[in-house]
């Protein structure tokens, strides 16, 4: 379904049930995770910025944006990388819902990455990944 919607921008992981979608300066990862005994969730995540200065001002900015955005939420991973996640129910979702989730995540990451970097430093996660490969 993702290849049909996103073509060559959809990349299948060889190690786990996930795919990546590249759009603008953002990369969205879709993971299927179990939920209870007979349900699954689709977690769409984009790494937004890595290496930003973790200040109270940045945390306030991210929390304020969480209250304003209609889909998803900013958060931090275990390395203090800024991520944006949106989760949908897996078994009953359809193509438009998956497309909306992916586009909400990549557009949000692409919209805020440069603003965060300009104020709190760091680099776009996709740029860091390119530099490390």
């Amino acid at each position: 379904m993702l290849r049909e919607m996103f073509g060559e921008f959809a990349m299948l992981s060889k190690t786990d049930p996930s795919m990546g979608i590249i759009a603008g300066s953002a990369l969205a990862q879709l993971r299927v995770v179990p939920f209870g005994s007979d349900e699954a969730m689709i977690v769409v995540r984009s790494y937004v910025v890595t290496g930003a200065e973790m200040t109270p001002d940045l945390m306030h900015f991210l929390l304020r944006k969480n209250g304003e955005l209609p889909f998803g939420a900013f958060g931090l991973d275990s390395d203090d990388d800024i991520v944006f996640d949106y989760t949908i129910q897996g078994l009953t979702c359809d193509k438009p819902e998956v497309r909306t989730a992916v586009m909400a995540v990549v557009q949000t990451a692409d919209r805020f990455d440069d603003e965060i970097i300009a104020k709190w430093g760091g680099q776009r996660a996709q740029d860091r990944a390119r530099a490390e490969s």
Side-chain angles (χ1 to χ4, degrees):
M1 173 174 31
L2 292 172
R3 287 228 191 250
E4 183 180 314
M5 287 189 291
F6 298 104
E8 65 186 35
F9 297 106
M11 301 164 294
L12 181 63
S13 171
K14 294 178 177 136
T15 59
D16 58 22
S18 69
M19 289 190 82
I21 309 290
I22 297 174
S25 64
L27 168 67
Q29 299 172 324
L30 284 81
R31 289 182 299 117
V32 178
V33 296
F35 185 75
S37 61
D38 60 352
E39 177 62 88
M41 303 302 279
I42 299 172
V43 179
V44 184
R45 167 174 279 190
S46 183
Y47 283 83
V48 182
V49 173
T50 66
E53 184 180 353
M54 293 294 130
T55 66
D57 188 43
L58 172 57
M59 298 301 109
H60 183 262
F61 172 83
L62 296 174
L63 285 171
R64 172 91 51 203
K65 292 302 171 192
N66 284 347
E68 295 171 3
L69 296 168
F71 298 106
F74 285 103
L76 302 176
D77 73 359
S78 60
D79 295 321
D80 282 343
D81 295 329
I82 299 170
V83 299
F84 188 79
D85 289 341
Y86 180 37
T87 303
I88 58 176
Q89 192 172 14
L91 293 179
T92 60
C93 71
D94 57 16
K95 281 184 186 181
E97 188 175 9
V98 173
R99 177 183 279 293
T100 297
V102 170
M103 296 311 295
V105 169
V106 295
Q107 288 174 352
T108 301
D110 192 38
R111 176 177 162 200
F112 288 104
D113 56 6
D114 292 328
E115 182 178 354
I116 292 168
I117 291 167
K119 292 181 182 178
W120 296 284
Q123 65 186 122
R124 293 182 297 191
Q126 187 174 345
D127 292 339
R128 181 177 136 190
R130 279 190 198 128
E132 290 175 355
S133 57

